[in-house]
Amino acid sequence: LQNMDSYETIQIEKQESVGILTINRPDKLNALNSKVHSEGIAALKKLRDDEGVRVLVITGAGEKSFIAGADISEFAGQTPVTQRAVFQNPSLFNSIDEFPKPVIAMINGFCLGGGCEIALACDLRIVSENAKIGQPEINLGIIPGGGGTQRLTRLIGEGKSMEMILTGDMIDAGTAHDLGLVNHVYSAEALREETMKIANKIATKSPIALQMAKEAVKTASKANLDEGLRREIDLFAICFSSEDKEEGVSAFLEKRKPEFKGR
Ligand code: COA
């Protein structure tokens, strides 16, 4: 493991071709303050341009929490204008959503409010058995502002999303799995290893095909079916301009493993 950069509130590591971004405020259960937002956005820009990073994992430091939401202590003194600026594009949420490589949320405990919204902006969500997931904003007299009402509803449907957002109740890992909110549940001890297995598997695929696949799947919740199908054909066709497509097809015909270079 190597520490790539020095930030105050986050930590970046690289393990082979997988980047790991850790929110590093365990004393505050990794609550998102303005420094996490700005450092996170800056780190994502660098990771995006780093060809050595093919998949990104986002997690929280410590054993108790992924992210316990927005830093409530920073709410005092916030105005509609300052809050709008934090949540408007380019926000941390959109920077993850639009990140051109697969992003996996590795959820090790509390995943609340803005933390749930970070997880929802990721492509896969893998949780530990002790995870607790919720959108508790309603208890503070506010509502989600990082995409929760939209991305949660698209993922699990209006009825369940509405219940989580109106009650503010947390759900456990098993319930989240039943709802399709998370992809896999592992014991806390196995979480990292199992997440890295999935990340490493994805990292062996063509980075170009991964980018096109992510964009195509994301189009499904943004466009109508005709537009989405047209977009899919365009993205599918783009793959045919890549050396990786030649490599993938040759490797299959030669009965060997492909070596994708991202070209
Ligand atoms: N913002 C700021 N600080 C937070 C925080 C948040 N969202 N969540 C936790 N913390 C801080 C606590 O204030 C506490 O700090 P302290 O030790 O300086 O007092 C520390 O993190 C540990 O949290 P604590 O509440 O003592 O842990 P717990 O195990 O008793 O409870 C939670 C855990 C997650 C249930 C509880 O911290 C909580 O409800 N947090 C707020 C969740 C929330 O509403 N998020 C959405 C914000 S929009």
Side-chain angles (χ1 to χ4, degrees):
L1 291 188
Q2 67 193 104
N3 205 349
M4 282 165 66
D5 268 307
S6 59
Y7 295 100
E8 207 179 286
T9 60
I10 62 174
Q11 198 190 330
I12 307 293
E13 299 160 52
K14 224 161 89 175
Q15 209 175 322
E16 291 168 42
S17 10
V18 178
I20 305 171
L21 188 162
T22 305
I23 314 288
N24 192 20
R25 304 183 69 216
D27 296 349
K28 298 292 175 191
L29 305 185
N30 306 314
L32 302 171
N33 63 10
S34 49
K35 194 96 193 180
V36 177
H37 281 273
S38 59
E39 289 188 336
I41 292 168
L44 286 169
K45 268 195 192 136
K46 280 197 169 178
L47 290 161
R48 187 186 57 196
D49 297 337
D50 184 341
E51 283 184 18
V53 173
R54 293 193 176 187
V55 175
L56 179 65
V57 171
I58 298 183
T59 193
E63 276 139 39
K64 199 172 157 186
S65 179
F66 172 63
I67 301 170
D71 189 323
I72 299 170
S73 69
E74 275 191 354
F75 278 6
Q78 294 292 350
T79 68
V81 173
T82 60
Q83 284 302 81
R84 204 152 191 249
V86 171
F87 285 85
Q88 240 167 8
N89 213 1
S91 68
L92 185 52
F93 309 99
N94 284 332
S95 302
I96 295 167
D97 187 60
E98 290 162 10
F99 196 72
K101 311 172 191 187
V103 187
I104 302 175
M106 180 166 77
I107 301 169
N108 53 316
F110 289 114
C111 175
L112 303 174
C116 186
E117 293 170 303
I118 293 283
L120 288 164
C122 294
D123 303 313
L124 300 183
R125 285 153 289 280
I126 302 179
V127 305
S128 58
E129 282 165 352
N130 66 324
K132 290 268 186 278
I133 303 175
Q135 295 283 171
E137 289 87 346
I138 202 84
N139 298 325
L140 300 170
I142 57 174
I143 70 167
T149 65
Q150 303 305 300
R151 292 195 183 100
L152 185 63
T153 304
R154 279 171 160 79
L155 190 61
I156 66 171
E158 185 179 297
K160 291 293 177 186
S161 171
M162 195 70 94
E163 183 175 350
M164 285 179 70
I165 289 167
L166 297 184
T167 64
D169 286 347
M170 297 182 212
I171 59 173
D172 61 22
T175 307
H177 189 256
D178 291 345
L179 291 173
L181 176 41
V182 305
N183 296 77
H184 296 285
V185 182
Y186 296 111
S187 70
E189 298 73 46
L191 178 67
R192 188 172 172 117
E193 195 187 329
E194 294 297 334
T195 303
M196 291 308 289
K197 269 191 210 161
I198 296 172
N200 283 319
K201 176 189 279 190
I202 296 173
T204 64
K205 316 293 183 193
S206 160
I208 295 171
L210 290 173
Q211 182 180 354
M212 300 308 148
K214 174 169 175 171
E215 191 176 329
V217 173
K218 285 206 169 250
T219 302
S221 60
K222 292 175 184 160
N224 67 34
L225 183 60
D226 283 347
E227 274 170 46
L229 290 172
R230 271 199 299 274
R231 189 86 196 109
E232 184 191 74
I233 294 168
D234 288 344
L235 294 164
F236 162 76
I238 288 172
C239 295
F240 282 73
S241 68
S242 71
E243 283 176 29
D244 280 352
K245 170 250 162 191
E246 297 299 327
E247 168 64 6
V249 171
S250 304
F252 177 82
L253 297 174
E254 291 160 18
K255 302 187 190 301
R256 60 174 175 85
K257 273 194 168 172
E259 238 187 80
F260 293 118
K261 299 207 167 71
R263 290 199 286 271

